[in-house]
Amino acid sequence: MQSLNEIKSILSESHTVDALKSFITTYESDERAGVRKLTDTAGKRIDSIEKELARLKEMRKFENENRQFGLLCGIDEVGRGPLAGPVYAAAVILPEDVDILYINDSKKLSEKKREELYSEIMEKAVAVGIGHVSEKRIDEINILQATYEAMTMAVSELSVKPGALLIDAVHIPQLDAYKQISIIKGDAKSASIAAASIIAKVTRDRVMKQYAEEYPEYGFDSNKGYGSKDHIEAIKKYGPCPIHRRSFIGNFI
């Protein structure tokens, strides 16, 4: 007879609905209280996964409605609001029926979950493009135009050409050659845009952590360049560093 620890190990390795159902079928006749508890846990996990799959089905609504355009690319940006650092954008083409559990607007996810999803998206995506525009360029042309540039760069970095772009709430003039579908709050409604938001967020956060090593007094590893109280106090105390956006921090220096 298998020990409880052996059965726990099998449950820990059961990640899909089919695997969990097989687990229940195998052990539901075992009368040990500990095993019954494990089969109950497996049932709860099935319910959770099925709810998540239903949510993901809804997140593919815009993709399914626009399949006539061919490959669909989600685009999103991160870093429009910070006082320091670049703005980043990502363009992501996902396979038609891919399921990436818990994909969502990056702002709704923990850092750990974003990192996990980043790896899964990079592994499963048909193509990923990343673009960024420096703080100096932001000061030159303003943040909106810099965002468009970053998004355009991200699309240009794709290894395959999409048939249409799904974009969070904006229209990109530089990409008028493409069919553009603007979705308000798209990072919470479209799996492709959500994937792009995660790629852009994780990429920029990693860059800001590197800057934190170079300019430790500003706390970029925690605030990522946004205007936290400690960050603003550091600007007043030390003045701006080379990656501060001069057009954003005029009131603080």
Side-chain angles (χ1 to χ4, degrees), residues 35 46 64 69 72-73 114 120 126 130 134 160 164 181 201-202 232 234 240 253:
V35 177
I46 289 171
N64 291 334
F69 298 114
L72 298 171
C73 174
R114 287 196 298 266
E120 188 172 359
V126 173
I130 299 172
S134 73
V160 295
I181 301 160
K201 173 67 173 168
V202 170
I232 292 171
I253 57 176

Side-chain angles (χ1 to χ4, degrees), residues 28-252:
E28 63 186 349
S29 61
D30 193 313
E31 295 183 356
R32 287 176 290 178
V35 177
R36 287 181 177 177
K37 188 174 181 180
L38 292 176
T39 57
D40 287 345
T41 298
K44 291 176 182 177
R45 289 184 184 176
I46 289 171
D47 290 342
S48 177
I49 291 172
E50 288 181 340
K51 287 179 182 178
E52 175 61 13
L53 289 172
R55 188 189 69 85
L56 288 177
K57 183 178 180 181
E58 185 66 21
M59 290 270 296
R60 289 199 295 265
K61 175 183 175 182
F62 290 99
E63 284 82 349
N64 291 334
E65 289 176 350
N66 293 284
R67 289 295 174 196
Q68 71 271 24
F69 298 114
L71 289 173
L72 298 171
C73 174
I75 303 175
D76 202 13
E77 52 70 33
V78 65
R80 288 183 67 171
L83 305 179
V87 60
Y88 266 79
V92 178
I93 301 174
L94 294 176
E96 185 169 333
D97 294 318
V98 68
D99 283 327
I100 300 178
L101 296 182
Y102 310 111
I103 196 169
N104 206 334
D105 172 6
S106 63
K107 296 185 292 296
K108 297 181 178 181
L109 301 168
S110 68
E111 181 176 0
K112 179 181 178 182
K113 179 57 69 175
R114 287 196 298 266
E115 288 282 352
E116 292 173 357
L117 289 169
Y118 174 95
S119 298
E120 188 172 359
I121 293 164
M122 294 298 283
E123 176 186 346
K124 294 181 177 180
V126 173
V128 175
I130 299 172
H132 73 279
V133 172
S134 73
E135 61 286 336
K136 292 180 179 60
R137 181 66 173 159
I138 292 169
D139 286 338
E140 289 174 2
I141 63 174
N142 75 50
I143 186 59
L144 178 60
Q145 296 306 316
T147 300
Y148 291 158
E149 280 196 4
M151 289 178 163
T152 302
M153 187 185 304
V155 173
S156 73
E157 291 293 319
L158 291 168
S159 59
V160 295
K161 185 175 180 179
L165 310 176
L166 304 177
I167 309 173
D168 186 12
V170 300
H171 178 91
I172 307 169
Q174 294 93 324
L175 293 174
D176 276 338
Y178 292 92
K179 169 69 176 178
Q180 298 186 45
I181 301 160
S182 179
I183 304 167
I184 296 174
K185 296 184 179 179
D187 46 9
K189 296 178 181 178
S190 159
S192 300
I193 299 177
S197 79
I198 291 166
I199 297 299
K201 173 67 173 168
V202 170
T203 303
R204 187 181 186 277
D205 282 0
R206 291 175 179 177
V207 168
M208 295 308 295
K209 287 180 181 180
Q210 292 174 350
Y211 278 131
E213 296 178 4
E214 192 171 354
Y215 309 108
E217 57 268 34
Y218 299 98
F220 293 142
D221 53 334
S222 58
N223 62 51
K224 307 303 188 294
Y226 286 87
S228 67
K229 180 180 178 181
D230 289 346
H231 184 188
I232 292 171
E233 288 178 354
I235 295 171
K236 291 178 179 178
K237 182 176 181 179
Y238 301 107
C241 75
I243 69 161
H244 276 107
R245 303 173 183 177
R246 298 309 195 267
S247 57
F248 279 49
I249 64 170
N251 293 331
F252 306 120

